[in-house]
Amino acid sequence: MKFGILVNEGPYQHQASDSAYLFVKAALEKGHEVTRVFFYHDGVYNGTSYSVPPLDDRQITKQWSELAKEYDVDLVLCVAACQRRGMMDDGEAERHGKGANNVAEGFRISGLGQLIETGIQSDRLVTFGD
Amino acid sequence: MSILHTVNKSAYERNALDSCLGHTKPGDSVLLIEDGVISARAGSVAGDKLAAALGETGVSIYALGADMAARGIPEDKLVDGVKVVDYAGFVDLAAENDAVEAWL
Amino acid sequence: MGDMSEGGTTKKFLYLNRKASYGTVYALESLEVVLIAAAFEQDVSLAFIDDGVYQIIKGQDTKGIGMKNFSPTFNALGDYDINKLYVEKESLDERGLTEDDLMPLVYEDEDDDWAEKPSIKIVNRAEMADLMQDQDVILSF
């Protein structure tokens, strides 16, 4: 079965990203497909390469990056939410005259249409938020 | 057609559980996750509502074991009839129902 | 699960709105998604329950809070063929509101000589529950 996932909250503040990660991991381990994880609102902060949590805490962004690599999961950060919150890939940084790319490995920035497409293409859309 | 409803709020903080239970149909499932599991404790105001819902609405009610354990709620303190699932069980419930509705 | 039509799959999307505007960003961003979704020609319905009914209340004035009043955007939904806005009667009642407190949102019915018709339908809780059962995708923010 194809699952699409929506994550509405940022890391560490709320359990949403942790719950979503554990759900996605369980789904993949059961042999399901996860077509895309779409990060919206503060959820886009899950994809920052600039977070350096204490080593004795879970490494939320790194966990997502590793999962994406191992299972080829598409991790998409909403562009409008990113622009409001200072998340930039190379293209966005250049377009807005900002210095750096702060999107972590395995994540990409794209439009809200990707969320609708996920709803259309997946068998189930599962939402995690506040 | 059936829906898996997820509730991640304690009934003592917001009305998500009440609202969810008011919109279920027989055959639906309700899964309590995150702070939602606080509502599943037996002998509590929210627990009594869950017990009534189990008897009256024809829904199945589940709680995520990892979230219960994290909040110090042992399985033997759960409302009778509430079933404990792990994340794999959460995935199964999402697959078995036709849609998943999050009561954020 | 949805019907195959020319150009792809059409699914029933329900946008579940349970939060008021301004206190958090979710109402605004839900509306953003609805407008984007219009381009995908899906079968879209909006549900307003609990505090979500406050999203479409008349007379919103945000000058004093430094935020944009986005409620006029709801008037544009009809132009995008989004004309199924279901508002729950019990949620209105609980909050001391009636249909008259809501914005008079309308659309022009192309199948009826572009007659102007109300987009808002007041339904009771049981009807709202039935509506939910009828969906392929339910989005909550």
Side-chain angles (χ1 to χ4, degrees):
Chain A
M1 177 163 280
K2 289 180 184 172
F3 284 100
I5 308 292
L6 171 62
V7 178
N8 288 335
E9 296 301 321
Y12 304 105
Q13 173 89 4
H14 192 284
Q15 200 183 340
S17 180
D18 299 276
S19 298
Y21 172 77
L22 291 166
F23 180 91
V24 169
K25 197 161 170 281
L28 293 167
E29 284 167 358
K30 286 180 80 82
H32 294 296
E33 187 183 339
V34 175
T35 52
R36 179 173 294 143
V37 183
F38 190 87
F39 296 88
Y40 198 22
H41 316 286
D42 277 0
V44 297
Y45 286 133
N46 286 291
T48 176
S49 60
Y50 281 7
S51 84
V52 281
L55 288 175
D56 62 351
D57 198 353
R58 69 232 193 265
Q59 310 290 302
I60 292 180
T61 299
K62 193 160 165 262
Q63 285 175 343
W64 279 116
S65 291
E66 286 171 358
L67 199 68
K69 196 171 183 182
E70 187 179 349
Y71 290 96
D72 197 24
V73 180
D74 190 19
L75 306 179
V76 174
L77 309 174
C78 169
V79 64
C82 282
Q83 286 169 343
R84 286 193 171 102
R85 291 167 177 82
M87 292 288 303
M88 303 250 159
D89 59 14
D90 284 332
E92 280 288 296
E94 195 181 326
R95 190 170 315 128
H96 300 286
K98 304 287 184 186
N101 171 342
N102 60 343
V103 173
E105 196 183 340
F107 291 83
R108 67 188 179 94
I109 293 178
S110 191
L112 266 178
Q114 300 269 299
L115 171 60
I116 309 301
E117 190 185 272
T118 305
I120 296 169
Q121 293 176 350
S122 58
D123 299 307
R124 302 285 183 276
L125 186 74
V126 187
T127 302
F128 296 87
D130 186 21
Chain B
M1 186 74 201
S2 65
I3 296 177
L4 171 65
H5 304 262
T6 62
V7 175
N8 72 337
K9 297 298 178 320
S10 160
Y12 305 101
E13 192 203 350
R14 292 198 218 167
N15 77 335
L17 180 64
D18 268 346
S19 195
C20 167
L21 291 175
H23 292 91
T24 56
K25 289 279 177 181
D28 281 1
S29 296
V30 176
L31 171 63
L32 307 172
I33 66 169
E34 299 172 3
D35 287 349
V37 300
I38 289 171
S39 308
R41 198 177 185 105
S44 67
V45 172
D48 291 349
K49 275 185 194 166
L50 278 183
L54 276 168
E56 293 161 9
T57 59
V59 295
S60 302
I61 301 180
Y62 302 84
L64 193 63
D67 281 323
M68 287 167 45
R71 288 157 181 83
I73 304 173
E75 288 195 25
D76 62 2
K77 297 287 185 197
L78 276 190
V79 170
D80 273 348
V82 173
K83 293 167 232 167
V84 179
V85 292
D86 57 10
Y87 279 96
F90 183 175
V91 172
D92 290 342
L93 284 170
E96 287 161 10
N97 288 276
D98 299 295
V100 184
E101 179 167 6
W103 291 82
L104 303 177
Chain C
M1 286 304 285
D3 306 310
M4 290 302 288
S5 61
E6 205 177 347
T9 308
T10 303
K11 282 190 174 182
K12 289 186 169 184
F13 277 69
L14 178 69
Y15 293 82
L16 179 62
N17 297 292
R18 295 185 54 242
K19 294 168 184 167
S21 306
Y22 312 118
T24 54
V25 76
Y26 306 107
L28 170 62
E29 305 248 46
S30 176
L31 188 55
E32 293 275 329
V33 181
V34 169
L35 291 169
I36 297 276
F40 287 78
E41 297 185 346
Q42 301 294 302
D43 183 352
V44 171
S45 301
L46 277 61
F48 297 89
I49 66 173
D50 299 326
D51 285 346
V53 299
Y54 264 94
Q55 291 182 23
I56 50 172
I57 201 164
K58 277 179 191 162
Q60 299 180 36
D61 176 0
T62 59
K63 283 196 287 288
I65 60 169
M67 292 167 75
K68 185 178 169 186
N69 175 5
F70 61 89
S71 64
T73 309
F74 284 102
N75 289 303
L77 292 178
D79 299 337
Y80 292 91
D81 289 332
I82 295 165
N83 48 37
K84 290 184 284 188
L85 278 63
Y86 297 92
V87 180
E88 186 177 87
K89 185 175 186 307
E90 286 85 345
S91 297
L92 290 173
D93 289 348
E94 285 165 6
R95 287 158 184 78
L97 301 173
T98 68
E99 186 172 4
D100 288 341
D101 294 306
L102 304 178
M103 298 192 291
L105 302 175
V106 294
Y107 72 102
E108 292 174 344
D109 188 349
E110 60 179 315
D111 298 326
D112 190 8
D113 198 24
W114 305 99
E116 202 169 75
K117 296 184 176 177
S119 298
I120 292 177
K121 294 166 192 67
I122 309 290
V123 297
N124 64 34
R125 189 158 288 168
E127 290 167 328
M128 188 62 87
D130 287 337
L131 178 76
M132 289 169 180
Q133 294 288 330
D134 198 31
Q135 305 300 319
D136 296 312
V137 182
I138 303 171
L139 281 160
S140 333
F141 300 104

